[in-house]
Amino acid sequence: SKNVGQAEFLQAVREFVESVWPVLEKYPKYKQFKILERIVEPERALTFRVNWLDDQGNVQVNRGYRVEFNSAVGPYKGGLRFHPSVTLSILKFLGFEQIFKNSLTTLPMGG
């Protein structure tokens, strides 16, 4: 699997697929054009290093992520999360959910 160890993201995708599966079965053109595969795979995911000085003047090094899912309806929309527990799986989950929040509220932005 492409997303081994990404439990949060896989759970979100699984719940989404279960809810839309009847529609995919009813309209084969969605399968033909691989709509599902295109929705669940980010357009890009970046991993980068963040260096910073703590209050004691010590250098700290953390990992940062940016996940960009879908720009079909506009520029990507996202936020920042600064916490040691943040993982790529969590950010993929949040970005995936953002696609639908933006669409349902008619916000012309991607996730």
Side-chain angles (χ1 to χ4, degrees), residues 6-108:
Q6 297 182 9
E8 298 86 358
F9 175 62
L10 290 173
Q11 178 181 345
V13 168
R14 195 170 16 261
E15 291 173 5
F16 169 74
V17 170
E18 289 171 0
S19 69
V20 299
W21 194 254
V23 176
L24 296 173
E25 290 291 314
K26 186 174 181 179
Y27 299 99
K29 67 180 177 182
Y30 295 141
K31 285 185 180 179
Q32 176 188 352
F33 292 109
K34 298 194 179 289
I35 299 300
L36 182 61
E37 290 86 347
R38 290 160 57 184
I39 288 174
V40 302
E41 186 69 29
E43 289 178 8
R44 82 180 103 304
L46 306 170
T47 303
F48 52 93
R49 181 185 67 224
V50 179
N51 306 315
W52 56 282
L53 288 175
D54 64 20
D55 293 339
Q56 288 73 41
N58 298 313
V59 174
Q60 300 292 327
V61 180
N62 292 95
R63 185 173 292 159
Y65 305 98
R66 177 166 173 87
V67 178
E68 300 171 342
F69 259 94
N70 195 304
S71 61
V73 296
Y76 304 106
K77 180 182 185 318
L80 296 173
R81 300 267 188 276
F82 290 106
H83 195 274
S85 68
V86 172
T87 64
L88 180 59
S89 178
I90 291 170
L91 289 191
K92 284 173 73 174
F93 157 73
L94 292 170
F96 184 67
E97 297 281 316
Q98 192 68 48
I99 298 168
F100 305 108
K101 289 188 338 188
N102 294 346
S103 295
L104 292 170
T105 60
T106 67
L107 186 63

